[in-house]
């Protein structure tokens, strides 16, 4: 990892020390409305609310040169005509010094070249819908420097997919013009398609936004025409306008749109100057006044600094709701900063906008969003409450739900994935355990089709839908896929069975039993208890294979995930969830998780299945079309890896749980960072397993459900500090060699300082527990226990033994 970078001393920045990383290492800038992805060389794109329907700028993903276009500033020495970019891209100049600092929703790139030290800070202020490029340049040479300064971004303006696939026609509706009085470049599109696509109904509307681009320095030139700024047979690396030192002052009513501004600066020896470029968006109505007001506000560089300080303070507060101090520095780095940060990104971006997800297709995943709330529920439960209320409105009256939905434009995709509806009860119960806001259960929202229901009724509807879709053997129907989207042809005729969905249903039933009992619904608890026993019995009768649990059956009744199969004999999901759901007794739980160790283990954690499929089986689906060792065909898929960690904690095997957790950390590549390729500071979706020659190569970083589960694995189950309806449960499951650790956790208005000692070296089991020096019977610090304590800080002392 240190070949390309390292964490800062406070762990809140990852510092990249050379631009030629194995792949673009990206970060995010966002205020929850205006969003951007930015790479370590300033590549990436921006959008307002929807990366598909309201895209601001372009980014080409899989073309060469890599990682273009982006948010570029190019400096040109007026005397020599030499020009370069402080971010390395797009000019790829051999800089004398380079550094990129990715922080929590900001990126700072700095460099030195020919006596000029320059830095560019990129961030989105919390209160307004724009991104700020704060530039500082200093003359380190003995001579005066006169510089031309060019700022450039390539514009999409509206529907990103239409811009990509129909650009020759779509560009006819672009308009870019420069307002000379305000010195602001404005751009928009007169024709805008959202969601449904042109083939369904001809659109008859303009994009409802205007983009603006401005500078705090006086503007001496501009361009809205890409062809004129770049020049024929050139690229962003050598624009003709930069080479000649003069923009064309072009405006367009049709054509390929860009936003380019030219300013100038003179620096005496040793002099430093600061200025800003402002790229943002305002509503189409009254865009001139709205845009001018925002630009005027941030041309004041004091306001730029104030907004940046506000951003830093906001995210410092966010991560300080949980802080840990363990013997493992990497674990501390992830749990204290980067894992928390990544879960905020997955919450905001779902699986919709990243280097691997182009923001063109998926919208917001229902299943994904229900899990993404696991991170923000601790520091920002109000976000989670709003999101859950949103998701209930994409549920149908019969309890089914859209698999993907589009909050910006409305609608969704009803795919029939058998697990999708069941994630909503999980999200609701996570929120309730964190907040004890049981009044939330009585809030009403509409179903997507017709009628309305309370949140509690939405929860029951999801469970009832799953119960109504069982086979005669009381196992869940597979449908066109479950959590594993690539097992997509096992149950298309309605007879295939998903053992994993059945286990997940059992888990939701067990959790719902606890909820019903807590809120006094004994009838509901009894009803769900009967269903749980029926389903758990079916799993153990039909799905136990001797040493582990099978994965499912196809429409013909043929089993997958069995010792009798030649390939795909064992799947990780059903072993972990047999334990998590409680359907496996102790002997079977130990047996199936031992089988995980014996058959699935790798240096990066357990594989998703073994042996990988070597032949395409149309009756199973896409998993068998993936090459062995990648994606769902035998990769180390971090999402189920996180469930394996959870299962081992439930079994009390702290050394095994921590061992898997340690292997899976992103800063621990199996081979080296060049093979790993992706960012070493956030989780990736999967790591290629030893079943493929590129073992150790990771992919699909940032936007993965594994992030939220890994966070809760670490805090809730390994360190053992987790919320329950009654209060805060203390239940560590740690490696025996650990002697002590500390967790600081804000919970329901109090801050808990939890000190854990392990003098005799056990994995699990509490000998004594004191709260403010008072012995506590049991291991739940209840709200009743705490209510009479007036101070905000509560000290908890735990001794294992």
């Amino acid at each position: 990892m240190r070949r390309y970078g390292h964490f800062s001393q406070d762990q809140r920045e990852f510092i990249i020390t050379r631009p030629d990383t194995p792949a673009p290492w990206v970060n995010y800038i966002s205020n929850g409305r205006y969003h951007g992805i930015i790479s370590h060389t300033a590549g990436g794109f921006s959008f307002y609310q929807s990366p598909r329907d309201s895209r601001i700028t372009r980014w080409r993903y899989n073309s060469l040169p890599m990682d273009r276009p982006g948010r570029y500033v190019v400096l040109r020495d007026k005397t020599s005509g030499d020009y370069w970019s402080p971010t390395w891209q797009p000019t790829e100049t051999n800089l004398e010094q380079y550094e990129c600092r990715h922080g929590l929703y900001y990126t700072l790139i700095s460099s030195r070249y020919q006596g000029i030290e320059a830095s560019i800070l990129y961030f989105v202020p919390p209160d307004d819908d724009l991104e700020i490029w704060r530039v500082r340049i200093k003359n380190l040479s003995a001579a005066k420097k006169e510089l031309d300064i060019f700022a450039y971004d390539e514009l999409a303006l509206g529907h990103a997919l239409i811009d990509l696939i129909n650009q020759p026609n779509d560009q006819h509706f672009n308009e870019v013009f420069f307002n000379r009085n305000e010195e602001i470049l404005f751009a928009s599109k007169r024709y805008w398609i959202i969601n449904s696509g042109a083939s369904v109904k001809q659109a008859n509307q303009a994009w409802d936004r205007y983009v603006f681009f401005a500078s705090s320095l006086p503007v001496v030139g501009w361009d809205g025409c890409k062809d004129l700024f770049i020049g024929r047979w050139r690229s962003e690396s050598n624009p003709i306008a930069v080479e000649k030192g003069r923009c064309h002052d072009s405006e367009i009513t049709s054509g390929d749109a860009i936003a380019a501004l030219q300013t100038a600066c003179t620096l005496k020896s040793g002099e430093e100057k600061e200025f800003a470029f402002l790229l943002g968006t305002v509503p189409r109505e009254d865009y001139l006044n709205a845009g001018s007001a925002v630009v005027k506000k941030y041309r004041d560089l004091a306001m730029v600094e104030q907004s940046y300080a506000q951003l830093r303070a906001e995210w410092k507060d966010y991560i300080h709701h949980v802080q840990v101090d363990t013997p493992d520095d990497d674990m501390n780095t992830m749990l204290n900063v980067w894992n928390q940060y990544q879960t905020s990104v997955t919450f905001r971006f779902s699986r919709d906008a990243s280097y691997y997800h182009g923001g063109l297709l998926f919208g917001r995943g229902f299943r994904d969003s229900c899990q993404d709330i696991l991170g923000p529920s601790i520091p920002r439960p109000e976000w989670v409450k709003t999101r859950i209320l949103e998701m209930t409105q994409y549920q149908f009256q019969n309890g089914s739900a859209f698999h993907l939905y589009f909050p910006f434009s409305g609608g969704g995709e009803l795919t029939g994935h058998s697990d999708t509806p069941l994630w909503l009860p999980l999200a609701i119960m996570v929120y309730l355990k964190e907040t004890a806001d049981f009044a939330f259960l009585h809030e009403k929202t509409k179903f997507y089709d017709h009628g309305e229901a309370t949140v509690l009724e939405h929860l029951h509807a999801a469970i009832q839908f799953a119960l109504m879709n069982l086979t005669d053997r009381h196992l869940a129907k597979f449908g066109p896929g479950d959590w594993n989207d690539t097992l997509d042809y096992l149950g298309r005729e309605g007879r295939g069975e998903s053992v994993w969905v059945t286990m997940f249903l059992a888990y939701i039933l067990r959790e719902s039993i606890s909820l019903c009992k807590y809120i006094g619904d004994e009838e509901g608890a009894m009803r769900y208890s009967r269903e749980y026993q029926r389903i758990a019995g079916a799993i153990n009768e039909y799905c136990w294979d001797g040493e582990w649990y099978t994965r499912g059956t196809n429409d013909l009744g043929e089993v997958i995930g069995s010792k009798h199969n030649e390939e795909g004999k064992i799947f990780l999901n059903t072993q972990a969830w047999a334990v998590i759901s409680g359907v496996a007794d102790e002997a079977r739980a130990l047996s199936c998780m031992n089988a995980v160790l014996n058959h699935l283990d790798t240096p990066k954690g357990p594989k998703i299945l073994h042996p990988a499929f070597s032949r395409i089986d149309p009756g199973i689906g896409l998993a068998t079309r993936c090459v062995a060792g990648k994606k769902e065909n035998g990769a180390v898929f971090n999402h189920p890896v996180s469930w394996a960690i959870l299962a081992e904690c439930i079994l009390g095997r702290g050394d095994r749980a921590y061992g898997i957790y340690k292997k899976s950390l992103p800063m621990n590549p199996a081979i080296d960072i060049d093979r790993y390729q992706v960012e070493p500071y956030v989780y990736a979706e999967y790591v290629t397993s030893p079943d493929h020659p590129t073992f150790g190569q990771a992919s699909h970083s940032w936007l993965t459900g594994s992030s939220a589960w890994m966070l809760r694995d670490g805090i809730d189950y390994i360190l053992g500090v987790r919320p329950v309806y009654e209060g805060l449960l203390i239940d560590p499951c740690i490696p025996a060699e650990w002697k002590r650790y500390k967790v600081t956790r804000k919970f329901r208005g109090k801050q808990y300082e939890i000190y854990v000692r392990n003098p005799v070296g056990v994995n699990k089991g509490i000998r004594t527990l004191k709260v403010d020096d008072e012995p506590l019977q049991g291991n739940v610090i209840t709200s009743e226990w705490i209510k009479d304590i007036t101070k905000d800080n509560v000290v908890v002392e735990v001794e294992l033994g």
Side-chain angles (χ1 to χ4, degrees):
M1 180 179 75
R2 297 190 68 87
R3 186 178 307 164
Y4 298 100
H6 56 88
F7 291 102
S8 62
Q9 187 171 1
D10 66 4
Q11 312 301 307
R12 294 180 198 162
E13 294 178 330
F14 190 83
I15 304 170
I16 301 168
T17 53
R18 49 191 285 188
D20 59 334
T21 54
W25 287 0
V26 306
N27 193 20
Y28 286 80
I29 54 176
S30 171
N31 63 7
R33 301 175 308 276
Y34 187 106
H35 309 280
I37 298 170
I38 182 166
S39 77
H40 68 290
T41 59
F45 65 90
S46 303
F47 61 94
Y48 179 74
Q49 293 190 334
S50 168
R52 183 186 66 179
D53 296 315
S54 199
R55 182 74 67 90
I56 297 170
T57 64
R58 289 176 177 157
W59 194 28
R60 290 180 285 274
Y61 306 94
N62 299 313
S63 60
L64 294 175
M66 181 183 285
D67 188 28
R68 290 192 191 173
R71 306 164 176 86
Y72 297 139
V73 174
V74 180
L75 306 180
R76 179 182 181 274
D77 189 315
K78 288 187 176 183
T79 302
S80 67
D82 194 12
Y83 58 89
W84 70 98
S85 174
T87 57
W88 189 64
Q89 288 266 43
T91 61
E92 299 184 359
T93 306
N94 187 19
L95 300 169
E96 296 159 12
Q97 180 272 335
Y98 161 90
E99 179 184 272
C100 170
R101 290 176 175 258
H102 282 325
L104 276 59
Y105 289 108
Y106 69 88
T107 287
L108 175 65
I109 304 175
S110 58
S111 63
R112 187 175 62 250
Y113 184 71
Q114 291 195 355
I116 296 294
E117 185 177 76
S119 69
I120 308 176
L121 172 69
Y122 300 92
F123 72 99
V124 174
D127 298 331
D128 294 291
D129 297 326
L130 76 158
E131 59 190 80
I132 297 173
W133 311 356
R134 189 204 68 191
V135 185
R136 289 175 176 168
I137 54 176
K138 184 175 183 180
N139 182 5
L140 302 178
S141 73
K144 182 176 71 172
K145 292 283 188 177
E146 293 185 335
L147 300 174
D148 290 315
I149 302 164
F150 297 86
Y152 169 87
D153 223 330
E154 191 172 325
L155 302 177
L157 303 176
H159 198 294
L161 184 58
I162 298 299
D163 177 67
L164 179 67
I165 65 176
N166 196 32
Q167 196 269 343
N169 289 320
D170 197 49
Q171 67 175 334
H172 286 93
F173 310 104
N174 291 335
E175 55 186 30
V176 184
F177 61 91
F178 185 72
N179 184 288
R180 289 161 174 79
N181 292 330
E182 301 292 340
E183 293 196 349
I184 303 173
L185 199 68
F186 286 100
S188 192
K189 191 183 295 296
R190 297 183 300 275
Y191 175 70
W192 182 39
I193 297 170
I194 58 173
N195 194 29
S196 58
S199 61
V200 178
K201 182 180 179 180
Q202 182 76 9
N204 189 23
Q205 61 186 339
W207 187 30
D208 66 352
R209 313 293 299 180
Y210 261 89
V211 171
F212 63 82
F213 196 39
S215 173
S216 63
L217 290 177
V219 175
V220 299
W222 64 88
D223 271 314
C225 177
K226 179 182 174 183
D227 294 341
L228 286 175
F229 181 81
I230 298 293
R232 293 178 181 176
W233 303 106
R234 290 173 176 257
S235 73
E236 303 99 331
S237 65
N238 61 343
I240 190 67
V242 175
E243 188 172 293
K244 291 188 174 182
R246 189 70 180 94
C247 281
H248 300 79
D249 297 348
S250 61
E251 301 176 336
I252 64 170
T253 56
S254 173
D256 216 349
I258 62 165
L261 295 177
Q262 179 180 356
T263 62
C265 181
T266 299
L267 294 169
K268 301 174 185 177
S269 176
E271 186 178 8
E272 182 177 17
K273 289 188 176 180
E274 178 179 316
F275 50 94
F277 293 102
L278 312 171
L279 175 68
T281 181
V282 289
R284 191 173 191 88
E285 298 80 13
D286 200 27
Y287 70 89
L288 179 57
N289 288 329
S292 299
V294 175
V295 168
K296 181 180 179 181
K297 178 179 178 179
Y298 291 102
R299 277 177 171 157
D300 181 352
L301 297 181
M303 181 56 66
V304 171
E305 293 307 310
Q306 180 180 322
S307 297
Y308 179 53
Q310 182 183 350
L311 175 78
R312 296 288 298 269
E314 177 182 329
W315 290 99
K316 180 179 180 181
D317 174 77
Y318 183 97
I319 63 174
H320 272 78
H321 280 68
V322 178
Q323 289 288 287
V324 308
D325 183 7
T326 78
D328 187 328
D329 290 339
D330 291 340
M331 186 181 204
N332 296 341
T333 296
M334 291 304 293
L335 295 183
N336 288 338
V337 183
W338 289 91
N339 201 171
Q340 291 196 58
Y341 176 40
Q342 185 179 2
T343 61
S344 78
V345 170
T346 60
F347 180 86
R348 283 181 166 177
F349 291 81
S350 190
R351 308 298 175 270
D352 203 18
S354 74
Y355 180 69
Y356 304 92
H357 304 85
L360 303 176
L361 298 173
F362 296 122
R364 184 171 287 165
F366 192 92
R367 157 211 298 163
D368 301 327
S369 292
C370 288
Q371 296 170 83
D372 292 340
I373 62 95
L374 287 165
S377 64
I378 298 174
R380 297 292 185 269
E382 64 277 12
W383 293 3
V384 171
K385 182 177 183 178
T386 300
R387 178 63 58 81
I388 291 172
L389 291 174
E390 174 188 280
M391 289 188 293
T392 59
Q393 297 174 73
Y394 290 91
Q395 183 190 49
F396 292 82
Q397 193 175 49
N398 68 355
S400 64
F402 282 125
H403 187 62
L404 305 168
Y405 68 97
F406 302 95
F408 180 81
S409 55
E413 297 179 10
L414 192 62
T415 61
H417 283 73
S418 52
D419 65 311
T420 298
L422 281 171
W423 292 102
L424 181 61
L426 173 74
I428 294 169
M429 289 185 279
V430 166
Y431 172 77
L432 293 175
K433 289 178 182 179
E434 186 65 36
T435 63
D437 176 18
F438 291 97
F440 177 59
L441 290 173
H442 304 294
E443 294 194 30
K444 289 187 175 182
T445 61
K446 294 180 179 179
F447 289 110
Y448 186 80
D449 47 357
H450 52 83
E452 66 175 17
T454 65
V455 170
L456 182 58
E457 289 167 340
H458 281 287
L459 181 152
H460 290 316
I463 297 172
Q464 187 61 29
F465 180 80
L467 290 172
M468 294 297 293
N469 280 276
L470 303 179
T471 66
D472 293 341
R473 301 199 302 173
H474 306 306
L475 301 175
K477 294 178 181 178
F478 221 120
D482 61 12
W483 171 88
N484 190 331
D485 301 300
T486 66
L487 300 178
D488 51 342
Y489 276 84
L490 286 161
R492 296 253 169 179
E493 295 178 12
R495 296 187 300 276
E497 297 165 327
S498 170
V499 178
W500 177 80
V501 172
T502 314
M503 291 175 171
F504 183 43
L505 172 58
Y507 170 80
I508 293 299
L509 286 168
R510 193 170 68 159
E511 289 290 301
S512 299
I513 293 165
S514 298
L515 174 61
C516 288
K517 288 180 178 179
Y518 192 81
I519 64 176
D521 181 7
E522 292 298 330
E523 182 182 344
M526 291 177 61
R527 181 175 71 255
Y528 287 150
S529 293
R530 290 192 297 270
E531 295 291 356
Y532 178 85
Q533 294 301 325
R534 181 168 66 116
I535 289 169
I539 292 170
N540 281 295
E541 179 179 356
Y542 300 117
C543 310
W544 178 248
D545 200 49
E547 295 179 59
W548 59 78
Y549 288 90
T550 60
R551 185 59 174 85
T553 64
N554 64 15
D555 287 319
L556 299 176
E558 298 167 336
V559 177
I560 65 166
S562 167
K563 60 188 176 185
H564 301 293
N565 297 126
E566 185 177 344
E567 298 176 333
K569 291 176 179 287
I570 178 172
F571 285 71
L572 178 56
N573 286 47
T574 43
Q575 315 325 314
W577 279 88
V579 178
I580 296 168
S581 65
V583 302
D585 61 24
E586 182 178 3
R588 288 187 174 184
L590 290 171
S591 176
C592 69
M593 290 308 294
N594 287 339
V596 169
L597 177 62
N598 294 333
H599 297 281
L600 301 177
D601 197 37
T602 81
K604 276 298 287 179
K607 300 186 294 182
I608 193 172
L609 63 86
H610 180 81
F613 295 101
S614 62
R615 297 180 298 276
I616 293 172
D617 186 339
I620 294 176
L622 186 59
T624 67
R625 296 181 183 275
C626 298
V627 68
K630 289 187 179 287
K631 287 289 280 180
E632 287 90 346
N633 190 15
V636 179
F637 219 85
N638 277 323
H639 205 155
V641 168
S642 71
W643 294 333
I645 296 168
L646 173 52
E648 292 291 1
C649 285
I650 292 172
L651 293 175
R653 303 202 294 191
D655 290 309
R656 174 68 179 150
Y658 172 73
I660 301 172
Y661 178 86
K662 185 70 174 176
K663 287 179 180 180
S664 67
L665 288 170
M667 63 279 288
N668 292 333
I671 305 296
D672 60 30
I673 192 63
D674 282 297
R675 171 62 63 82
Y676 188 69
Q677 291 190 346
V678 307
E679 300 91 340
Y681 43 88
V682 291
Y683 287 101
E685 179 188 87
Y686 77 89
V687 180
T688 305
S689 79
D691 295 340
H692 191 273
T694 59
F695 165 52
Q697 184 184 74
S699 189
H700 292 65
S701 58
W702 279 102
L703 303 185
T704 164
S706 60
S707 173
W709 285 94
M710 289 292 189
L711 179 71
R712 301 310 286 258
D713 280 351
I715 297 169
D716 292 17
Y717 287 91
I718 295 177
L719 303 184
V721 179
R722 63 181 178 270
V724 292
Y725 298 123
E726 295 80 6
L728 197 61
L729 174 70
I730 310 298
D731 184 27
C733 185
I734 61 172
E737 66 181 14
W738 281 14
K739 296 304 178 186
R740 64 183 68 244
Y741 65 90
K742 176 186 175 184
V743 177
T744 302
R745 172 74 149 87
K746 293 182 180 180
F747 180 67
R748 298 183 189 174
K750 302 286 185 182
Q751 178 165 290
Y752 293 82
E753 303 282 346
I754 303 165
Y755 299 86
V756 180
R757 296 177 60 249
N758 187 23
V760 295
V762 300
N763 292 134
K764 194 178 181 74
I766 294 176
R767 193 173 75 85
T768 62
L769 196 160
K770 293 181 179 180
V771 180
D772 282 343
D773 288 327
E774 291 290 328
L776 180 71
Q777 296 299 315
N779 63 339
V780 178
I781 307 170
T782 64
S783 301
E784 288 73 19
W785 177 276
I786 293 298
K787 67 181 179 181
D788 294 329
I789 298 176
T790 57
K791 64 179 184 177
D792 293 332
N793 287 355
V794 180
V795 176
V796 181
E797 298 171 279
V798 183
E799 184 174 304
L800 304 182

